[in-house]
Amino acid sequence: MNPETCVYAGSFDPITSGHLDIIRRGAAIFPKLIVAVLRNPSKKGCFTMEERLSMLQRSCADLPNVSFDSFDGLLVDYMRKVDAGVILRGLRAVSDFESEFQMAQLNRQLNPQVETFFLMTSPEHAYLSSSAVREIAMFGGDISCFVPSPIVEEVTQKFRK
Ligand code: ADP
């Protein structure tokens, strides 16, 4: 497993400024960062896989060492497939800690060669989540400080009418 390659996995439905902050900071530490969108058959989500990937690509256009992919099943299996040694995660609040701690322990048990690496959120993004963005957009609120600028229009249009 290559420790220079990290995977940042999530639903990114849609990518938020909080996600982008973690991607930027992760890409400054690791030579190669893969953003992997989880295909979750039991959760349809708001944006399609193609829309999510396209929004990620447009938001990270200035980051040459970042690539994009989708996966299903266990993250540790995907890590093996792409030969990546590090799982990158963001921590927002104490409330994130418990589930992240559990996930990191389970993944470590499943494959001790994979490390989980945490970055603490920047304070301005501490309360930001994709679900909050969807809710604000649904009620016609201004989301321009909450998502990367290249996707503000697309997210706003999705919820118009
Ligand atoms: P969301 O909770 O927005 O749907 P995901 O579940 O896809 O996002 O989360 C993917 C990863 O990004 C997780 O490690 C999560 O803790 C982290 N993350 C999500 N939002 C933020 C944020 N505002 N700041 C830092 N990390 C975040």
Side-chain angles (χ1 to χ4, degrees), residues 8-14 16-19 21-22 25 43 88-92 96 100 103 118-122 124-132 134:
Y8 183 43
S11 40
F12 307 107
D13 188 29
T16 69
S17 307
H19 293 133
D21 176 58
I22 298 292
R25 290 161 59 200
K43 217 169 99 186
L88 177 65
R89 303 292 294 171
L91 279 179
R92 275 165 291 194
D96 274 348
E100 292 290 344
M103 222 175 342
F118 293 97
L119 282 176
M120 213 58 86
T121 183
S122 301
E124 64 271 32
H125 303 129
Y127 299 100
L128 197 48
S129 64
S130 298
S131 57
R134 292 196 302 269

Coordinates of all heavy atoms in Angstrom, one line a residue, residues 8-14 16-19 21-22 25 43 88-92 96 100 103 118-122 124-132 134, ligand 1:
Y8 N -9.8 10.4 -0.2 CA -10.8 11.1 0.5 C -12.2 10.7 0.0 O -12.6 11.0 -1.1 CB -10.6 12.6 0.3 CG -11.5 13.6 1.1 CD1 -11.8 13.3 2.4 CD2 -12.1 14.7 0.5 CE1 -12.7 14.2 3.1 CE2 -12.9 15.5 1.2 CZ -13.2 15.3 2.5 OH -14.0 16.1 3.2
A9 N -12.9 9.9 0.8 CA -14.1 9.3 0.4 C -15.3 10.0 1.1 O -15.2 10.4 2.2 CB -14.1 7.8 0.7
G10 N -16.4 10.0 0.3 CA -17.6 10.6 0.9 C -18.7 10.6 -0.1 O -18.6 10.0 -1.2
S11 N -19.9 11.2 0.3 CA -21.0 11.3 -0.6 C -20.9 12.5 -1.5 O -21.4 12.5 -2.6 CB -22.3 11.1 0.1 OG -22.3 11.9 1.3
F12 N -20.4 13.6 -1.0 CA -20.2 14.8 -1.8 C -21.5 15.2 -2.6 O -21.5 15.4 -3.8 CB -19.0 14.7 -2.7 CG -17.8 14.3 -2.0 CD1 -17.2 13.1 -2.1 CD2 -17.2 15.2 -1.2 CE1 -16.1 12.7 -1.4 CE2 -16.0 14.9 -0.5 CZ -15.5 13.6 -0.6
D13 N -22.6 15.3 -1.9 CA -23.9 15.4 -2.5 C -24.6 16.8 -2.1 O -25.6 16.8 -1.4 CB -24.8 14.3 -2.0 CG -26.1 14.2 -2.8 OD1 -26.2 14.7 -3.9 OD2 -27.1 13.8 -2.2
P14 N -24.0 17.9 -2.5 CA -22.8 18.2 -3.3 C -21.6 18.5 -2.5 O -21.6 18.6 -1.2 CB -23.2 19.5 -4.0 CG -24.0 20.2 -3.0 CD -24.7 19.2 -2.1
T16 N -18.9 20.7 -0.6 CA -19.1 22.0 0.1 C -17.7 22.7 0.2 O -16.7 22.0 -0.1 CB -19.7 21.8 1.5 OG1 -18.6 21.1 2.3 CG2 -20.9 20.9 1.5
S17 N -17.7 23.9 0.6 CA -16.5 24.6 0.9 C -15.7 23.9 2.0 O -14.4 24.0 2.0 CB -16.7 26.0 1.3 OG -17.6 26.7 0.4
G18 N -16.3 23.2 2.9 CA -15.6 22.4 3.9 C -14.9 21.3 3.3 O -13.7 21.0 3.7
H19 N -15.5 20.5 2.4 CA -14.8 19.4 1.7 C -13.6 20.0 0.9 O -12.6 19.4 1.0 CB -15.8 18.8 0.7 CG -16.9 18.0 1.3 ND1 -18.2 18.1 0.8 CD2 -17.0 17.1 2.3 CE1 -19.0 17.3 1.5 NE2 -18.3 16.7 2.4
D21 N -11.8 22.6 1.4 CA -10.8 23.0 2.3 C -9.9 21.7 2.7 O -8.7 21.8 2.7 CB -11.4 23.6 3.5 CG -10.4 24.0 4.6 OD1 -9.4 24.7 4.3 OD2 -10.5 23.5 5.7
I22 N -10.6 20.6 3.0 CA -9.9 19.4 3.3 C -9.1 18.9 2.1 O -8.0 18.4 2.3 CB -10.9 18.3 3.9 CG1 -11.6 18.8 5.1 CG2 -10.2 16.9 4.1 CD1 -10.8 18.9 6.4
R25 N -6.0 21.1 1.6 CA -4.9 20.9 2.6 C -4.3 19.5 2.5 O -3.1 19.3 2.6 CB -5.5 21.1 4.0 CG -5.8 22.6 4.2 CD -6.8 22.8 5.3 NE -6.4 22.3 6.6 CZ -7.2 22.1 7.6 NH1 -8.5 22.3 7.5 NH2 -6.7 21.6 8.7
K43 N -29.2 4.7 -0.7 CA -29.4 6.2 -0.5 C -29.3 6.8 -1.9 O -28.2 6.9 -2.4 CB -28.4 6.7 0.5 CG -28.9 7.8 1.4 CD -28.0 8.1 2.5 CE -27.2 9.3 2.2 NZ -26.1 9.6 3.2
L88 N -8.1 9.8 4.1 CA -8.1 11.2 4.6 C -9.6 11.4 5.1 O -10.5 11.1 4.4 CB -7.7 12.1 3.5 CG -7.8 13.6 3.8 CD1 -6.8 14.0 4.9 CD2 -7.6 14.5 2.6
R89 N -9.7 12.0 6.3 CA -11.0 12.3 6.8 C -10.9 13.8 7.4 O -9.9 14.2 7.8 CB -11.5 11.4 7.9 CG -11.5 9.9 7.6 CD -12.6 9.6 6.6 NE -13.9 9.8 7.1 CZ -15.0 9.7 6.3 NH1 -14.9 9.4 5.0 NH2 -16.2 9.9 6.8
G90 N -12.1 14.4 7.4 CA -12.2 15.7 8.1 C -13.0 15.6 9.4 O -13.9 14.8 9.4
L91 N -12.6 16.4 10.4 CA -13.3 16.3 11.6 C -13.9 17.7 11.9 O -13.2 18.7 11.9 CB -12.4 16.0 12.8 CG -12.1 14.5 13.1 CD1 -11.2 14.4 14.3 CD2 -13.3 13.7 13.3
R92 N -15.3 17.8 12.0 CA -15.9 19.1 12.3 C -16.1 19.4 13.7 O -15.7 20.5 14.2 CB -17.3 19.1 11.6 CG -17.3 19.4 10.2 CD -18.5 19.1 9.5 NE -18.7 17.7 9.4 CZ -19.6 17.0 8.7 NH1 -20.4 17.7 8.0 NH2 -19.6 15.7 8.7
D96 N -18.6 14.4 15.4 CA -18.0 13.6 14.4 C -17.1 12.5 14.9 O -16.9 11.5 14.3 CB -17.1 14.4 13.4 CG -17.9 15.1 12.3 OD1 -19.1 14.7 12.1 OD2 -17.4 16.0 11.6
E100 N -16.3 8.6 13.5 CA -15.0 8.5 12.8 C -14.0 7.6 13.5 O -13.2 6.9 12.9 CB -14.4 9.9 12.7 CG -15.1 10.9 11.8 CD -15.0 10.5 10.3 OE1 -14.1 9.7 9.9 OE2 -15.9 11.0 9.5
M103 N -15.1 4.1 12.7 CA -14.7 3.7 11.4 C -13.2 3.5 11.2 O -12.8 2.5 10.5 CB -15.2 4.8 10.4 CG -15.8 4.3 9.2 SD -16.5 5.5 8.1 CE -16.7 7.0 9.0
F118 N -6.5 12.4 9.9 CA -7.5 13.4 10.2 C -7.0 14.8 10.1 O -6.0 15.1 10.6 CB -8.1 13.2 11.6 CG -8.9 11.9 11.7 CD1 -8.3 10.8 12.3 CD2 -10.2 11.8 11.3 CE1 -9.0 9.6 12.4 CE2 -10.9 10.6 11.4 CZ -10.3 9.5 12.0
L119 N -7.8 15.6 9.4 CA -7.6 17.1 9.4 C -8.7 17.7 10.1 O -9.9 17.4 9.8 CB -7.4 17.6 8.0 CG -6.1 17.3 7.2 CD1 -6.2 17.8 5.8 CD2 -5.0 18.0 7.9
M120 N -8.4 18.7 11.0 CA -9.4 19.4 11.7 C -10.0 20.5 10.8 O -9.3 21.1 10.1 CB -8.8 20.1 12.9 CG -9.7 20.2 14.1 SD -10.2 18.6 14.7 CE -8.9 18.1 15.7
T121 N -11.3 20.6 10.8 CA -12.0 21.6 9.9 C -11.4 23.0 10.2 O -11.0 23.3 11.3 CB -13.5 21.6 10.2 OG1 -14.1 22.5 9.3 CG2 -13.8 22.0 11.6
S122 N -11.5 23.9 9.2 CA -11.2 25.3 9.5 C -12.5 25.9 10.1 O -13.6 25.5 9.8 CB -11.0 26.0 8.1 OG -9.9 25.4 7.5
E124 N -14.3 28.3 10.0 CA -15.5 28.9 9.2 C -16.3 27.8 8.5 O -17.4 28.1 8.0 CB -15.0 29.9 8.1 CG -14.1 29.4 7.1 CD -12.6 29.4 7.4 OE1 -12.2 29.2 8.6 OE2 -11.7 29.5 6.5
H125 N -15.8 26.6 8.5 CA -16.6 25.5 7.9 C -17.1 24.5 8.9 O -17.7 23.4 8.6 CB -15.7 24.7 6.9 CG -15.2 25.6 5.8 ND1 -13.9 25.6 5.5 CD2 -15.8 26.5 5.0 CE1 -13.7 26.5 4.5 NE2 -14.8 27.1 4.2
A126 N -16.9 24.8 10.2 CA -17.2 23.8 11.2 C -18.7 23.3 11.2 O -19.0 22.2 11.6 CB -16.9 24.4 12.6
Y127 N -19.6 24.2 10.8 CA -21.0 23.8 10.8 C -21.6 23.5 9.5 O -22.8 23.4 9.3 CB -21.8 25.0 11.5 CG -21.3 25.3 12.9 CD1 -20.5 26.3 13.1 CD2 -21.7 24.4 13.9 CE1 -20.0 26.5 14.4 CE2 -21.3 24.6 15.2 CZ -20.4 25.7 15.5 OH -20.0 25.9 16.7
L128 N -20.7 23.3 8.5 CA -21.1 23.1 7.1 C -21.2 21.6 6.8 O -20.3 20.8 7.1 CB -20.1 23.7 6.2 CG -20.5 24.1 4.8 CD1 -21.8 24.7 4.7 CD2 -19.4 25.0 4.2
S129 N -22.3 21.2 6.2 CA -22.5 19.9 5.7 C -23.3 19.9 4.4 O -23.9 20.9 4.1 CB -23.3 19.0 6.7 OG -24.6 19.5 6.8
S130 N -23.2 18.9 3.6 CA -24.0 18.8 2.3 C -25.5 18.9 2.6 O -26.2 19.6 1.8 CB -23.7 17.5 1.5 OG -22.3 17.4 1.2
S131 N -25.9 18.3 3.6 CA -27.4 18.4 3.9 C -27.8 19.8 4.3 O -28.9 20.2 3.9 CB -27.8 17.4 5.0 OG -27.0 17.6 6.2
A132 N -27.0 20.5 5.0 CA -27.3 21.9 5.3 C -27.4 22.7 4.0 O -28.3 23.6 3.9 CB -26.3 22.5 6.3
R134 N -28.1 21.7 1.0 CA -29.3 21.3 0.3 C -30.5 22.0 0.9 O -31.4 22.5 0.2 CB -29.5 19.8 0.3 CG -28.5 19.0 -0.5 CD -28.9 17.6 -0.8 NE -29.2 16.8 0.5 CZ -28.3 16.1 1.1 NH1 -27.0 16.0 0.7 NH2 -28.6 15.4 2.2
Ligands
ADP1 P1 -21.3 15.3 4.4 O1 -21.3 15.0 5.9 O2 -21.2 16.8 4.1 O3 -22.3 14.6 3.6 P2 -19.5 13.3 3.8 O4 -20.3 12.4 4.7 O5 -19.4 12.9 2.4 O6 -20.0 14.8 3.9 O7 -18.1 13.4 4.5 C1 -16.9 13.1 3.9 C2 -15.8 13.5 4.9 O8 -15.7 14.9 4.9 C3 -15.9 13.1 6.3 O9 -14.7 12.8 6.9 C4 -16.5 14.4 6.9 O10 -16.2 14.5 8.3 C5 -15.7 15.4 6.2 N1 -16.4 16.7 6.2 C6 -17.6 17.0 5.7 N2 -17.9 18.3 5.9 C7 -16.8 18.9 6.4 C8 -16.5 20.2 6.9 N3 -17.3 21.3 6.8 N4 -15.2 20.5 7.4 C9 -14.3 19.4 7.5 N5 -14.6 18.2 7.1 C10 -15.8 17.9 6.6

